[in-house]
Structures are given as C-alpha cells and as structure tokens.
Amino acid sequence: MNNIIITGSSQGIGAAIAKEWCKRDSNNFYYGISRWGDLDVTNYQLMDETISSYFENHQSKNISLINNAGIVSKGSIFEMTDKQWNDQFNTNINGVFYCSKIFSRECIKKSIGGKIINIASTAGLGARPGRAAYAASKAAVINFSLSLSQELRDYNIKVYCVCPGAVNTNMRKYLEPDDDFKNMMKPEIIGNFVCDLIYNGKYLDGQVLTIKQGGG
Ligand SMILES: NC(=O)c1ccc[n+]([C@@H]2O[C@H](COP(=O)([O-])OP(=O)(O)OC[C@H]3O[C@@H](n4cnc5c(N)ncnc54)[C@H](OP(=O)(O)O)[C@@H]3O)[C@@H](O)[C@H]2O)c1
C-alpha cells in the first residue's frame, strides 16, 4: 500500500492531489485532513491523536505527508487584525510544523522513512502588498522546509517544498476575482506535479520548486 496523508483535501489543490494519487495505482490510498471533517491543523493535540492513530491502524512502507491546508486574508497592515494575522500563521506555518513533527516521529518509530511535501507559494518568494501576512507565512514554510530537509535526512525522510503561482481555486477567486480564470493553471497540474515528486523526486528534495505560468 502507498499512503498519503493530505491536509486541506476537501477542495482545490488538496482535492486534486487526492484524486490524481488514487487514479495512478489501485494500491494508492489517501487520508484527508480538513476542517470539513472536523480536523483542524492548528490543533496540535487533535493532529497528534489523528496522525498517531493513522500510523497504528495502517501498514505502509511508502508514506507521504502533504501539508497543503492554507488560508489567506486580504488587507493592508492597517486593515489586518491581530486575529487575521494569527489565523494565517497558525494554519499556514504552525499547522505545517505540527503535522511534520508528528508524522516524522511516527515514521522514525517504525523505521520506514517517508516524504513530506509542503505547499508554499510564489507569494513566499516576493513582495505581496495587501497580503503581507500570507506572504510572510509562506516564506516561513519555504525556510522551514529547507531546514527540515537537512534535519530529517539521516532518518530517510525527504522534504520537498512546492511553490505554485496562481491556481484556479476558491482561494484565488477570493483573492483576485477579476483574474482570467479560463486560462489559469488548474489544480490538476499541481496534483500531477506532487504525485510525480512522490514517485520520481529522488534528487529534488531540499529545494524550492516553483510551478507557475509566465508572470503568474
Ligand atoms: N490557489 C492558488 O492560487 C494558490 C497558489 C499558491 C499556493 N496555494 C496554496 O495551496 C494550498 C491550497 O490552496 P487552494 O487554492 O486549494 O485553497 P482552497 O481551495 O481555499 O482550499 C484550502 C484547503 O485548506 C483547508 N484548510 C484551511 N484551513 C484549515 C485548517 N485549519 N485545518 C485543516 N484544513 C484547513 C480547507 O478546508 P475546508 O474546506 O474544510 O475549509 C481546504 O480544503 C494552500 O496552502 C495555498 O496557500 C494556492
């Protein structure tokens, strides 16, 4: 069995990754974590119970975690409330820290190695006026991924960081409602890219992998 655990699997990019993964092989299974199923990545205790119990009840030699759950709020620093700032950091980077820590601990206990794929954003690589909290939280995901990749190397756990540009999902519709959605990258492209990484990404860990349309 080849298993993946995906956070934020209820829609958008997470749902596309889950679909592509199951399409590729009848031995591929996914476990989805999203608020829709009352599983919130900002709750450490809940993530600990959920991921540990997954490892107790599933035998797998090939297991990957995809940290995809994310939120964004629009607004300048004068408009951004403390709560909006903290919510974005709690979901976008604290959630990645929690799930990565628990997942790698369980992989190490079972001596099975593993893969962690963090979905950051091109927003983490440059200025995003009007959504600085989101951009800063994604910059944190990028650096966390690079550091984690080196920390976990000796345990045979590979860490990848994917930075998509604009993707046609509800998040993008909220951010930029006037974009040209017809010609925008579809979530399936990211689904494919992530599954390819799991299968063939031997030499791509510990790097920042950008996938975007020209200028996107
Ligand atoms: N769309 C883009 O243009 C774009 C570009 C670059 C990077 N990204 C990144 O790609 C990832 C997916 O984005 P998307 O566009 O697919 O967004 P989306 O359609 O809004 O989906 C976000 C997903 O995250 C889940 N989620 C949010 N907060 C959560 C929490 N606290 N606990 C568990 N799940 C939570 C949502 O679950 P519920 O449905 O249950 O709320 C949903 O499944 C995000 O990290 C985003 O920052 C997106």
Side-chain angles (χ1 to χ4, degrees):
M1 279 208 313
N2 309 307
N3 293 343
I4 59 174
I5 299 172
I6 314 177
T7 69
S9 57
S10 64
Q11 56 173 314
I13 293 172
I17 297 170
K19 200 168 163 199
E20 177 61 26
W21 181 249
C22 295
K23 214 168 78 182
R24 287 200 178 193
D25 191 313
S26 56
N27 280 319
N28 285 359
F29 296 92
Y30 87 93
Y31 180 71
I33 292 178
S34 69
R35 290 178 298 186
W36 184 77
D38 279 339
L39 295 173
D40 187 325
V41 296
T42 66
N43 183 331
Y44 180 81
Q45 205 186 328
L46 183 61
M47 286 304 104
D48 198 1
E49 286 162 11
T50 305
I51 297 173
S52 317
S53 119
Y54 185 82
F55 272 82
E56 268 165 36
N57 296 311
H58 293 83
Q59 295 302 323
S60 174
K61 287 221 157 107
N62 298 312
I63 185 148
S64 304
L65 166 71
I66 295 132
N67 283 309
N68 162 79
I71 56 168
V72 65
S73 288
K74 287 192 277 194
S76 71
I77 60 160
F78 303 112
E79 293 157 335
M80 184 74 52
T81 62
D82 270 16
K83 181 173 174 354
Q84 285 172 320
W85 177 275
N86 290 331
D87 283 350
Q88 287 173 87
F89 272 79
N90 279 335
T91 304
N92 298 353
I93 179 67
N94 292 1
V96 173
F97 163 59
Y98 298 157
C99 294
S100 302
K101 180 176 174 141
I102 299 158
F103 174 85
S104 36
R105 183 195 67 206
E106 294 300 317
C107 289
I108 292 166
K109 255 198 236 166
K110 286 194 164 185
S111 304
I112 53 173
K115 297 186 176 103
I116 297 175
I117 296 168
N118 293 330
I119 307 297
S121 169
T122 49
L125 295 166
R128 288 296 185 276
R131 47 190 133 115
Y134 177 75
S137 69
K138 290 298 185 177
V141 174
I142 292 169
N143 196 284
F144 177 69
S145 307
L146 296 174
S147 303
L148 198 64
S149 171
Q150 295 195 13
E151 280 190 25
L152 296 178
R153 188 163 290 162
D154 289 346
Y155 301 101
N156 195 24
I157 298 172
K158 291 189 175 287
V159 182
Y160 303 85
C161 182
V162 176
C163 291
V167 184
N168 184 347
T169 68
N170 285 335
M171 178 183 279
R172 187 71 195 182
K173 284 176 190 144
Y174 156 75
L175 266 184
E176 301 288 350
D178 297 329
D179 270 356
D180 174 10
F181 285 95
K182 227 173 86 189
N183 294 308
M184 189 176 287
M185 198 157 54
K186 292 185 174 39
E188 289 72 21
I189 305 282
I190 311 298
N192 250 302
F193 188 77
V194 167
C195 293
D196 284 348
L197 266 185
I198 297 174
Y199 278 104
N200 305 313
K202 202 167 173 188
Y203 303 109
L204 291 170
D205 57 309
Q207 301 177 50
V208 182
L209 305 166
T210 298
I211 172 162
K212 61 172 191 168
Q213 287 166 296

